[in-house]
Amino acid sequence: MNLTLKIWRQKNKDDKGKLVDYKINEVSPDMSFLEMLDVLNEQLINKGEDPVAFDHDCREGICGMCSLFINGQAHGPDRGITTCQLHMRMFKDEDTIFIEPFRATAFPVIKDLVVDRTSFDRIQHAGGFISVNTSGNTIDANAIPVNKHDADEAFEAATCIGCGACVASCKNSSAMLFVGAKVSQFALLPQGKVEATDRVLNMVKQMDEEGFGNCTNTGACEIECPKGISLENIARMNREYLSASLKG
Amino acid sequence: MSGILNSSIGRKFAMALSAFFLMIFLLQHFAINVTSVFSANTFNETSHFMGTNALVQYVFQPILLFSVVFHFVMGFVLEIKNRKARQIPYAKNNGAANSSWMSRNMIWTGLAILAFMGLHFYDFWFPEINTKYIQGDMSGLLADGSGYRYFEELQHKFLSPVRVGIYVVAFVFLALHLLHGFNSAFQSVGANNKYTKGLKGFGKAYAILIPLGFVIIALYHHFNHIS
Ligand code: HEM
Ligand code: SF4
Ligand code: FES
């Protein structure tokens, strides 16, 4: 396949940045999207140009590191996958492909397609954990009985890989799906209930301080989430938040 | 509870509460309008009751006005905050791939409703307030005293084809607003789980049938009076 790529190039966080056109030929339909970018970068390096910076790590859909807004969609046109799992067979010969960074005020661009997603880390630090005594007499988590339905829902929420596609897809740049998943994962389990009130209040406060937008329930996040995290997690977070605000 | 409106979820919740109140009011307004098709008398009497009952006038009416103002002011606030949350737009954004047109354009359908409400207040609410509280005429009677004035006033307003046209278009916008808004409000207050699956269909029915009903009533009076 021969393709035209329109890639966002930005030297550093203060640079204005712009879309730059690149031609790439003889792309195999079996390549992953990131492999295609690797090939482009090799060509750029051979020409003595600066390669395109982009994030990636596991390249098997589990770490959440790869990002990219491809042809108007987070992680490109396929469903239930990350960019590293996207294949070039999803595109046609002679296509023009827009490749942009995830855009949100709370995800500033560091270079080219790499954005700073540490705002998610700070939300996690605000409450996305349980406090456990690790001095040696820790009780095995499996010793506490958990209702199967709750266990399944908590497990599903816990599959969130923190990639940020929900924020990138949302017209409001809202992080509610991510935070909803992190809140739900603990709120459903007995170990998480102990700190539930503070957790939801603190995580939402941090989310707001980071400058994410307000959810208006468009549902774009749920559709674009590589792990299929459900909007029900946002509803659960709203319930948790409202009852926590009433308590204190 | 302190400062709940300062949090994203608090604002969402307040927005939904005002919207719930508006949706209940809309249903009540519709129920009264329907009577105008079947009996001028019933319509006149219900209108007179609503227009002079102290509970309606001094308790529900202020709550309604507050809800409307709160709803659109908060709508603007949310819109501005959400625009700030993404200062650099995408060069290519395929929103249609993952969300409905209605959900992405609530501010525009809302603004259309607001513009319509300006006309609607000019048509009915301001004259009503003027007659009752400025002129002090609480009788609800026609100038010649031959009967209640409400039905006559309604027929008179729906003579103009331009006005009826504007009403019809406005209700299309209301339907679009509610097609997203109805279920959105339930999601906002946290009602989305295995027990609420049936709500989606009900929301769609409400969003289409109620505005359609208003349109039919307006057209009925327009054509009925002309012929
Ligand atoms: C006066 C002009 C109006 C404006 C400017 C306006 C604007 C908005 C905006 C910006 C939203 C937020 C988008 C969202 O949360 O999805 C919204 C939500 C909503 N509006 Fe309106 N609106 C208006 C009138 C109305 C009326 C008359 C009704 C009902 C009879 C209504 C029902 C709703 C509902 C049900 C929601 C969803 C609330 C939620 O998501 O929690 N709106 N409106
Ligand atoms: S909720 Fe989905 S889209 Fe959002 S960060 Fe988690 S895995 Fe990514
Ligand atoms: S690189 Fe790990 S999920 Fe894509």
Side-chain angles (χ1 to χ4, degrees):
Chain A
M1 299 197 283
N2 300 332
L3 302 166
T4 305
L5 307 175
K6 287 184 174 294
I7 302 180
W8 184 261
R9 301 302 309 259
Q10 182 173 338
K11 286 196 182 64
N12 53 50
K13 72 176 181 8
D14 302 316
D15 182 25
K16 248 186 99 229
K18 60 174 190 298
L19 283 172
V20 177
D21 287 6
Y22 296 92
K23 292 265 181 221
I24 182 165
N25 298 332
E26 287 166 45
V27 173
S28 155
D30 298 327
M31 278 181 186
S32 80
F33 200 85
L34 298 187
E35 281 166 343
M36 184 273 295
L37 288 179
D38 290 339
V39 171
L40 174 74
N41 275 346
E42 266 175 36
Q43 293 176 359
L44 291 179
I45 292 167
N46 286 341
K47 281 195 275 181
E49 290 177 31
D50 194 19
V52 179
F54 62 90
D55 264 326
H56 60 107
D57 189 7
C58 71
R59 296 215 177 189
E60 55 184 8
I62 52 174
C63 73
M65 202 55 205
C66 58
S67 52
L68 306 187
F69 208 72
I70 303 164
N71 268 352
Q73 280 178 276
H75 296 149
D78 214 351
R79 289 273 172 266
I81 54 151
T82 51
T83 298
C84 57
Q85 297 171 296
L86 176 68
H87 283 90
M88 295 314 295
R89 52 180 164 273
M90 291 300 293
F91 301 91
K92 291 195 300 291
D93 194 24
E94 300 301 331
D95 268 1
T96 298
I97 308 175
F98 281 75
I99 310 172
E100 298 175 76
F102 281 0
R103 295 250 184 243
T105 307
F107 286 170
V109 172
I110 300 171
K111 184 173 191 314
D112 297 338
L113 303 168
V114 177
V115 297
D116 178 356
R117 284 171 281 181
T118 51
S119 46
F120 269 15
D121 299 342
R122 289 187 291 273
I123 295 175
Q124 284 288 61
H125 294 169
F129 51 81
I130 54 169
S131 309
V132 183
N133 184 341
T134 54
S135 60
N137 44 10
T138 319
I139 304 165
D140 189 316
N142 290 326
I144 307 169
V146 180
N147 159 333
K148 173 80 169 102
H149 178 77
D150 291 344
D152 286 349
E153 294 217 316
F155 188 83
E156 270 173 36
T159 59
C160 164
I161 53 177
C163 63
C166 42
V167 174
S169 310
C170 175
K171 85 181 224 316
N172 311 315
S173 305
S174 165
M176 292 250 190
L177 195 65
F178 167 75
V179 184
K182 297 301 170 197
V183 164
S184 292
Q185 158 186 356
F186 297 115
L188 286 157
L189 298 176
Q191 294 91 334
K193 291 218 160 78
V194 187
E195 295 158 302
T197 305
D198 286 344
R199 175 181 306 113
V200 69
L201 293 176
N202 291 337
M203 288 181 83
V204 170
K205 183 161 170 274
Q206 189 65 36
M207 170 178 83
D208 291 347
E209 279 170 12
E210 296 291 346
F212 292 103
N214 294 262
C215 173
T216 61
N217 310 321
T218 70
C221 53
E222 181 184 50
I223 306 275
E224 298 293 351
C225 170
K227 300 297 157 185
I229 301 291
S230 155
L231 285 185
E232 288 180 24
N233 291 293
I234 300 183
R236 184 178 298 104
M237 169 172 66
N238 293 351
R239 293 197 293 277
E240 289 276 320
Y241 185 83
L242 294 167
S243 67
S245 324
L246 291 174
K247 275 186 217 153
Chain B
M1 263 318 264
S2 63
I4 193 161
L5 283 185
N6 290 326
S7 82
S8 53
I9 298 184
R11 283 189 291 265
K12 207 170 136 98
F13 184 69
M15 188 77 189
L17 283 192
S18 68
F20 275 127
F21 191 80
L22 290 177
M23 289 193 295
I24 293 169
F25 162 74
L26 195 69
L27 212 55
Q28 170 261 317
H29 195 323
F30 177 68
I32 294 178
N33 286 16
V34 166
T35 66
S36 71
V37 173
F38 299 103
S39 152
N41 218 359
T42 318
F43 178 74
N44 271 332
E45 268 158 27
T46 336
S47 300
H48 189 65
F49 170 79
M50 296 302 280
T52 50
N53 181 278
L55 188 66
V56 173
Q57 289 293 304
Y58 303 119
V59 180
F60 290 136
Q61 179 159 276
I63 299 179
L64 175 64
L65 286 175
F66 176 78
S67 293
V68 173
V69 173
F70 181 89
H71 185 84
F72 74 73
V73 169
M74 193 54 112
F76 294 148
V77 171
L78 287 176
E79 181 69 19
I80 291 165
K81 281 186 170 290
N82 290 344
R83 279 171 191 245
K84 273 209 204 114
R86 176 171 297 136
Q87 271 136 348
I88 304 166
Y90 289 111
K92 182 164 182 184
N93 192 353
N94 185 1
N98 50 39
S99 55
S100 71
W101 185 91
M102 285 76 85
S103 74
R104 282 176 278 123
N105 291 285
M106 290 296 275
I107 192 68
W108 302 114
T109 51
L111 275 171
I113 301 171
L114 187 61
F116 163 77
M117 284 198 329
L119 173 69
H120 194 54
F121 271 50
Y122 169 81
D123 276 354
F124 292 101
W125 197 73
F126 292 133
E128 197 64 18
I129 293 299
N130 180 33
T131 312
K132 287 192 310 210
Y133 300 113
I134 297 172
Q135 316 278 331
D137 173 12
M138 300 295 282
S139 72
L141 296 175
L142 289 163
D144 62 6
S146 61
Y148 280 135
R149 58 186 163 81
Y150 309 100
F151 188 76
E152 291 256 326
E153 284 171 359
L154 172 147
Q155 282 194 317
H156 181 71
K157 285 291 174 212
F158 286 117
L159 274 178
S160 152
V162 175
R163 184 180 269 104
V164 172
I166 294 175
Y167 270 60
V168 172
V169 172
F171 278 104
V172 172
F173 280 109
L174 181 63
L176 292 170
H177 199 72
L178 290 172
L179 272 172
H180 173 69
F182 187 98
N183 283 304
S184 178
F186 280 91
Q187 166 79 10
S188 295
V189 298
N192 177 4
N193 52 40
K194 58 181 185 289
Y195 305 107
T196 58
K197 293 277 181 263
L199 264 176
K200 297 235 156 65
F202 183 78
K204 279 216 170 68
Y206 176 98
I208 292 171
L209 294 179
I210 300 295
L212 184 67
F214 276 103
V215 166
I216 291 174
I217 295 169
L219 292 177
Y220 171 84
H221 287 297
H222 179 66
F223 290 111
N224 203 32
H225 206 67
I226 282 181
S227 54

